[in-house]
């Protein structure tokens, strides 16, 4: 079984993965990117991911998001594990709760891979270029 | 069974679907977007989609892409049907071949849904720059 870290879309991978509209994905790239899409292809998982991504401070624990979804806390934890294995979330334990936040590079890389030619990241700094 | 057109991410839907990092997806939005991710969650399907998206002229027939993948033409046709049902491809018959092209609004909408706050569409016309 592959190391979960291998499934992450790091900034380096984003550079290797040209947007779909520019170059065909290689077999390896398609395997990697499809596994991330698979993690997002479940409606409950997608909502949980969105709830965390949009939560105040960009992070949330199961206690924050459980009231918004109609599934048990063990089921939520299972879904969050799948998202973490896909490299979309990272977590940190504080006291008795695990806090989850989106890995921003993964989200940016996925968006960039899907971006039509007229989409591109806006500069985040305009200073000393 | 839902009408395939219902699964399309039209520009109007893109406006309704705020990026994941701004607002939580609703149950309906999550159902719709997850079904599109599901279509892209298969490595072979993702490669076929990328081959069509990056093909000269932005469209291709099965005869153009079959040499690049190690699956039969009926299997390719099945995968393309799934992508079409998800609203990611549209097709047109010319002579004995069906030509497929990416629905650009669907790709743009997916990219926008995943985009971190620092991503945004660039102007498609640059005029007097």
């Amino acid at each position: 079984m592959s190391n979960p870290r291998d499934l992450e879309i790091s900034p380096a991978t984003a550079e290797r993965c040209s947007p779909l509209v520019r170059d065909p994905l290689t077999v390896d790239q398609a395997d990697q990117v499809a596994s991330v899409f698979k993690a997002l292809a479940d409606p409950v998982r997608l909502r949980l991911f969105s709830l965390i991504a949009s939560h105040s401070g960009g992070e949330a624990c199961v206690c924050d998001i459980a009231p918004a979804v109609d599934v048990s806390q063990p089921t939520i934890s299972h879904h969050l594990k799948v998202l973490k294995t896909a490299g979309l979330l990272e977590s940190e334990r504080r006291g008795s709760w695990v806090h989850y936040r989106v890995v921003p590079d993964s989200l940016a890389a996925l968006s960039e891979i899907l971006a039509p030619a007229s989409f591109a990241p806006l500069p985040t700094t305009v200073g000393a270029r």
Side-chain angles (χ1 to χ4, degrees), chain A:
Chain A
M1 188 175 168
S2 65
N3 185 320
R5 296 289 96 181
D6 294 342
L7 300 177
E8 273 194 24
I9 298 187
S10 65
T13 307
E15 281 174 27
R16 289 198 305 274
C17 289
S18 303
L20 291 170
V21 292
R22 278 213 299 270
D23 299 299
L25 293 178
T26 65
V27 172
D28 287 347
Q29 286 171 336
D31 282 348
Q32 186 187 29
V33 177
S35 72
V36 182
F37 282 137
K38 195 171 180 181
L40 292 173
D42 178 278
V44 174
R45 210 145 57 217
L46 191 57
R47 277 198 77 214
L48 293 170
F49 183 72
S50 177
L51 282 161
I52 291 170
S54 62
H55 196 261
S56 169
E59 65 173 40
C61 65
V62 175
C63 57
D64 292 321
I65 55 180
V69 290
D70 194 23
V71 289
S72 68
Q73 288 203 7
T75 302
I76 293 174
S77 294
H78 165 74
H79 282 310
L80 297 184
K81 189 179 175 188
V82 173
L83 290 165
K84 196 177 162 189
T85 303
L88 289 162
L89 291 180
E90 55 192 10
S91 66
E92 186 185 346
R93 178 172 286 279
R94 288 185 219 139
S96 51
W97 288 104
V98 179
H99 291 252
Y100 294 87
R101 59 180 162 267
V102 170
V103 178
D105 287 342
S106 297
L107 206 58
L110 264 193
S111 177
E112 172 70 4
I113 285 167
L114 289 169
S118 59
F119 273 56
L122 290 177
T124 50
T125 55
V126 289
R129 277 232 180 151

